[in-house]
Amino acid sequence: MATNAEIAGRFEEFADLLEADDVEYKPRAYRRAAENIRAHPVPIADPVASGNEAVLEEIDGVGDAIAAKIVEYVETGEIEELEELRAELPIDIADITRIEGVGPKTAGKLYRELGIETLDDLEAAAEAGEIQEVKGFGPKTEQNIRDNLEFARQIGQRYLLGEGRPLADDVLAFLEGLEAVERCEVAGSIRRWRETIGDVDVLAATDAGEDVVEAFVDWESVDGEIESGPEKASVRVGEIRVDLRVVVPEEFGSALQYFTGSKDHNVRLRNYAIDRGMKLNEYGAFDVSEIDDPDAGLRVGDRVAGDTEAGMYESLGLPWIPPELREDRGEIAAAENDALPDLLTRADIRGDLHTHTEWSDGNTSIEAMIEGAADMGYEYYGIADHAEGPGIVGGMGLSDTEIIEQIEAIREVAAAHEITVFAGIEANVDADGEIGLSEDVIDALDVVVASPHSGLDQDAQTATERLVHAIENPAVDVLGHPSGRLLNERSGLEFDATALGKAAAANDTALEINANPRRLDLWGSAVQAALEEGAPIAVNTDAHQPSTLEYMRWGVHTARRGWAEPDDVINTWGLEDLRAFLH
């Protein structure tokens, strides 16, 4: 059955193709609907397939016309109008628009002028010098396309964590419901909470492996079997491959450690074990100190651990290392020296400082967003709609006059609620690092988030200087989504995270982990580098509707990948400490 993400993807494609065809208004409506479908907390395909179309009435932006298309897709696997549009514009729109600077309108023009349908067509035209001959293009645009082709091809093979992890949770729920399964857990990159995944890996402990594999392949959510055998199976759920491996219960811990990875972590850990007369593999931890040929077999030596994952590390005298840290960035040495971080948890978060309302590009009212934050149990909450500036979608940024009006509106609504509400703004960091707000507006605001939205093709040195300049601005409290990347869509700015960390520490400016699963910006290694310089961090959702306040889940795990502890994150602080921090 189609997932919410799959249905949303059809409407995103619809919007892109309509925009490529120079249709106005409709693309925005379809994108809004797609965002709300993707974020909807309940799967919609099953009730729609059962005739309960009323579930669609709960989704903001889904009117009768879009609802009819959803029903059509769930029932037939196609949307006739979309198929007609694909025939009219046979463009691999998702692939081509992954090129930085190539949006749907550009893709449509290149198709009409040069017949470009695929990345291969685009590459051939760029190499032949044909693109720069099209009106409105030039040598710089053509070179940019050549420079970004490899990135576009690479990201097309991976899925967002925000798409894969909910599916993984569904798989776990199914397996936990099987009487023969004693334990189960996700493994691989999804357990390490990497921002993108190739597939979903799941491990189950059972003494009835073949029965579990058979039940898994017959699971009603499976759309196709790829392969299966007595110990493993691979299926397709929607567009995502799910791999199940079954093991006997006494080898569950060792298999979980092995299949979680990363490869670099496992190699270093195995070498650490060898130096101590031990051998680690998916079958257990073995003492081979008295064995002449430790490589004579996988189970050679005295097995000392393997039932539990913690036991695998304990067999080496190490504490259990959280999966998010297993990237070979010093975690084994830290474990050896009893210096692993006390990682941030979801329960530590007291508020969210970067969210949006319908005043700019959000989907709902100030009142609804404040109520949503209160329902999250937060002590405080910040609204930061877009200010005017280059790169703001649809030119929906607020003028200085509108910002002042919104501050007054926020204060009026907030007065009726117990939660503390910060009136903020998301200012645009322009190509020179300026934020474009007047002093009167700055003085009236509680919090300023400053983020790059344009000029994302700068070289690393220029980008670093630009972002440092913004950090040094006394008005800026938080540098939002510093790279401006959109996962699987655009690569964003490259910069020196250590330099940003130093500047942030020196200027009491927080660096944001934007928890939107399409961003996760900053990312783990950049967070770690910044924290090593003493930078404060903010984990914000960039939510555009109440349901996407739940994006905090992705942000917290990204912070954990960066070794963040609670005190490193400003929105774990008490209200008075946070007030003192905000400029």
Side-chain angles (χ1 to χ4, degrees), residues 192-212:
R192 304 195 312 276
W193 296 84
R194 283 196 60 184
E195 57 263 41
T196 62
I197 62 163
D199 50 31
V200 172
D201 295 307
V202 185
L203 191 70
T206 177
D207 285 318
E210 292 190 36
D211 292 342
V212 171

Side-chain angles (χ1 to χ4, degrees), residues 366-375 381 383 410 413-414 417 419 421:
I366 293 170
E367 175 83 21
M369 292 303 292
I370 291 175
E371 289 177 354
D375 290 343
Y381 168 69
I383 291 171
I410 290 171
V413 175
H417 296 270
I419 187 172
V421 181

Side-chain angles (χ1 to χ4, degrees), residues 203 247 251-260 281-284 306:
L203 191 70
V247 298
E251 292 178 351
F252 182 77
S254 52
L256 184 59
Q257 192 286 317
Y258 179 85
F259 289 112
T260 294
N281 56 39
E282 62 266 46
Y283 303 108

Side-chain angles (χ1 to χ4, degrees), residues 246-377:
V246 295
V247 298
V248 294
E250 57 268 27
E251 292 178 351
F252 182 77
S254 52
L256 184 59
Q257 192 286 317
Y258 179 85
F259 289 112
T260 294
S262 68
K263 179 181 178 180
D264 291 340
H265 172 84
N266 282 354
V267 168
R268 190 170 295 275
L269 190 67
R270 286 200 298 270
N271 289 336
Y272 186 91
I274 289 169
D275 291 342
R276 287 154 182 79
M278 298 285 292
K279 180 174 71 173
L280 302 185
N281 56 39
E282 62 266 46
Y283 303 108
F286 300 87
D287 183 343
V288 292
S289 57
E290 304 297 326
I291 303 297
D292 292 334
D293 184 7
D295 296 323
L298 291 171
R299 293 181 171 87
V300 168
D302 294 327
R303 187 175 187 270
V304 298
D307 288 22
T308 67
E309 188 180 54
M312 295 291 288
Y313 289 95
E314 289 168 2
S315 71
L316 303 177
L318 299 174
W320 178 78
I321 298 176
E324 296 97 327
L325 302 186
R326 300 181 199 174
E327 299 291 352
D328 192 27
R329 297 202 306 261
E331 67 275 10
I332 294 173
E336 184 180 21
N337 294 308
D338 196 26
L340 287 173
D342 181 13
L343 294 177
L344 176 76
T345 69
R346 178 66 184 80
D348 295 317
I349 299 294
R350 298 189 183 191
D352 190 342
L353 301 175
H354 175 185
T355 66
H356 294 270
T357 75
E358 61 191 4
W359 278 66
S360 64
D361 64 338
N363 297 329
T364 191
S365 66
I366 293 170
E367 175 83 21
M369 292 303 292
I370 291 175
E371 289 177 354
D375 290 343
M376 297 286 288

